[in-house]
Amino acid sequence: MGCETGEKTGTLCIFMHRQKLWNVVAFIKYQFDGIISSAGAYIKCRESVIYDCPMTLEQRKHVLHVLQKYGIFHMAECRECVYEDDGMKTFMHRNAEQEDESELLHWRRQLEKNLHIYSMETYQGQPIYKVAVMSTQMKVLIRAYEDLKEDFDFHIRQRDRRGLIYGEVIGKSFDKGKAVERVCRHLNVPLCDTIAIGDSLNDLEMIRTAGFSICMRNGSEKLKDIVDDICPSVNEDGIKYAFLKHLLILDGEKTEVSFV
């Protein structure tokens, strides 16, 4: 979205991405007013980094040890790249199906494109912001959570049709809802004047925190039950539709909003 359109309506647009900055390059052309990445662990408003909270050395050693102990597939997200265990890569290539827009295929495509994703064997101790996990067994995820719950929250999403369970290990000091609050304090914007658009359960805190909430039509059924409005899917330019409907942008020749 061009800044000129946002200025006309008085709207600030913050792009929230579940991964680190290395994976948002494709969105830079939309000239967002800020970026929230790694589920709120890193926040940049305009030219200022207002929050930067990677795991401590002790925390990241503990997390990786626990996940390896229980055989949980995982991807550690650092500032410039991601490190994934070889078992996860092998599993995804063996099980992901063509033409299936599942979470599994999403990760497999990134691996195939080599978007700064490397083997855990080459990890050199860089700061980790959060860890994505995947398993076919809820019981092992519960065991890992019991070992890590003092310092971390587990954000577990619904099973897909293969029975795969996806989730994220995130520090207790941040989440997407807290990120919205931090941005509002920095910009001196009341929470009641914020609008959040999400599609999955890892957006839950953000949806609950914002003054007005919207879920994509192809999003989580549980999320759709609690939001204020539902917009078309991403493939139907749902975000542009929501922006126009709620007067966040003007409908004119210079309006260019498409996130497909």
Side-chain angles (χ1 to χ4, degrees):
M1 180 178 68
C3 286
E4 181 179 5
T5 301
E7 290 172 358
K8 288 181 179 179
T9 61
T11 301
L12 297 175
C13 190
I14 308 295
F15 179 59
M16 186 175 294
H17 197 261
R18 64 184 172 186
Q19 294 165 10
K20 278 303 295 157
L21 288 175
W22 54 265
N23 207 19
V24 302
V25 175
F27 298 94
I28 297 299
K29 64 180 179 180
Y30 296 111
Q31 301 180 42
F32 290 96
D33 297 289
I35 294 175
I36 299 170
S37 62
S38 290
Y42 184 93
I43 307 173
K44 184 176 182 180
C45 284
R46 294 169 175 154
E47 299 304 317
S48 301
V49 176
I50 67 170
Y51 191 74
D52 189 359
C53 186
M55 297 179 189
T56 66
L57 174 61
E58 293 74 17
Q59 285 176 333
R60 66 175 183 256
K61 285 183 176 180
H62 186 41
V63 167
L64 295 179
H65 171 73
V66 169
L67 297 178
Q68 291 166 1
K69 178 174 71 171
Y70 290 112
I72 297 171
F73 300 134
H74 56 279
M75 300 181 76
E77 298 181 13
C78 303
R79 183 186 294 275
E80 303 297 339
C81 60
V82 159
Y83 292 91
E84 48 86 27
D85 69 281
D86 290 336
M88 185 173 193
K89 181 177 181 179
T90 300
F91 183 86
M92 284 190 290
H93 278 274
R94 183 182 301 156
N95 290 276
E97 298 175 2
Q98 296 292 338
E99 307 303 328
D100 179 12
E101 295 301 322
S102 66
E103 186 80 0
L104 191 64
L105 186 59
H106 165 77
W107 284 113
R108 192 188 72 169
R109 284 173 173 168
Q110 292 200 64
L111 289 170
E112 290 176 342
K113 292 178 180 178
N114 194 28
L115 293 181
H116 302 277
I117 300 179
Y118 305 107
S119 169
M120 185 61 74
E121 292 184 356
T122 65
Y123 176 63
Q124 299 294 316
Q126 299 92 325
I128 294 173
Y129 286 80
K130 70 181 180 72
V131 181
V133 296
M134 181 178 71
S135 178
T136 58
Q137 302 180 62
M138 180 61 78
K139 63 181 180 181
V140 298
L141 292 173
I142 293 174
R143 289 172 184 165
Y145 169 71
E146 290 297 324
D147 287 358
L148 298 171
K149 64 182 180 181
E150 182 176 345
D151 292 324
F152 298 95
D153 288 324
F154 266 45
H155 291 203
I156 302 298
R157 279 170 266 169
Q158 297 164 297
R159 290 177 181 265
D160 69 9
R161 61 187 181 83
R162 300 178 190 80
L164 292 171
I165 308 164
Y166 304 92
E168 296 169 329
V169 182
I170 298 175
K172 288 183 176 293
S173 58
F174 60 85
D175 58 43
K176 291 185 178 182
K178 292 175 182 175
V180 172
E181 294 174 344
R182 289 184 170 109
V183 170
C184 285
R185 285 196 298 269
H186 178 75
L187 297 175
N188 196 28
V189 173
L191 276 173
C192 62
D193 289 340
T194 60
I195 298 178
I197 305 176
D199 63 356
S200 66
L201 288 179
N202 68 350
D203 296 320
L204 185 61
E205 290 84 2
M206 173 185 71
I207 291 297
R208 287 174 170 169
T209 302
F212 190 86
S213 56
I214 303 171
C215 183
M216 312 298 292
R217 184 177 295 147
N218 61 319
S220 163
E221 293 300 322
K222 291 184 178 180
L223 204 65
K224 284 189 278 190
D225 286 340
I226 65 172
V227 295
D228 300 302
D229 195 13
I230 297 174
C231 69
S233 70
V234 173
N235 293 332
E236 299 172 294
D237 278 347
I239 295 178
K240 178 178 180 179
Y241 173 89
F243 277 27
L244 291 170
K245 177 180 178 180
H246 296 284
L247 305 179
L248 301 178
I249 57 174
L250 302 177
D251 190 6
E253 293 182 358
K254 293 185 179 181
T255 299
E256 298 180 359
V257 181
S258 179
F259 293 83
V260 176

